Amino acid sequence: MNSRPFGGIEMNLRATIQLGLLKQFMGSKQYTPNEITRTTNFIYRVGSAVYELTSPGGDVYVMQSYSQIVNPALSMKDLPVLGEQLKLPAGWTYRSRVLDQDLSLVANGIAYVLQDNLSNSYQRR
């Protein structure tokens, strides 16, 4: 990977997002997967809590990061019951669970990532 300094910190390019012109003008839709060009492996260890959205079609998205953009008071302690704050589209569900085995979210070139109405990010399993 090519590394370059940004503000004195050495950075590597890890992902690119392709946004169409219309999407740039309108903004991305919540609960709509975006294709992210990247090769990554997010590992969630056994015994860890994970937070998941499930689409009406059965696709499961695992939270990769939570955001304080929409709700500055949001913290990790809120995540187990975050479903109470989400405006889930019809047929979508949110759940928290503790892993009984390691979980790897592998993206070999493309990751499908979406955001909820609070700007939290999730990757499809």
Side-chain angles (χ1 to χ4, degrees):
M1 293 253 155
N2 294 334
S3 67
R4 298 189 181 198
F6 289 92
I9 300 171
E10 202 67 21
M11 299 286 209
N12 291 312
L13 176 65
R14 293 289 181 214
T16 58
I17 303 171
Q18 301 299 321
L19 293 177
L21 190 57
L22 183 60
K23 232 182 195 182
Q24 291 178 32
F25 286 118
M26 297 181 67
S28 65
K29 290 184 174 181
Q30 299 163 348
Y31 302 98
T32 301
N34 292 295
E35 287 188 5
I36 310 297
T37 304
R38 70 177 184 204
T39 300
T40 55
N41 184 11
F42 287 91
I43 300 172
Y44 301 80
R45 297 289 182 205
V46 63
S48 300
V50 293
Y51 311 99
E52 299 173 323
L53 289 173
T54 303
S55 75
D59 289 325
V60 177
Y61 296 83
V62 179
M63 184 182 283
Q64 345 176 109
S65 64
Y66 75 92
S67 169
Q68 295 176 316
I69 295 169
V70 176
N71 177 358
L74 187 66
S75 71
M76 293 231 10
K77 70 177 176 39
D78 300 314
L79 300 182
V81 293
L82 186 65
E84 297 169 4
Q85 294 184 46
L86 297 178
K87 295 176 183 166
L88 295 171
W92 285 77
T93 60
Y94 177 87
R95 77 171 180 159
S96 168
R97 68 184 179 102
V98 175
L99 294 174
D100 57 6
Q101 60 185 18
D102 287 351
L103 171 66
S104 288
L105 290 184
V106 177
N108 284 321
I110 299 286
Y112 295 91
V113 177
L114 60 77
Q115 290 189 316
D116 63 24
N117 57 284
L118 297 176
S119 295
N120 303 308
S121 294
Y122 304 77
Q123 179 178 320
R124 187 171 75 195
R125 280 200 318 211

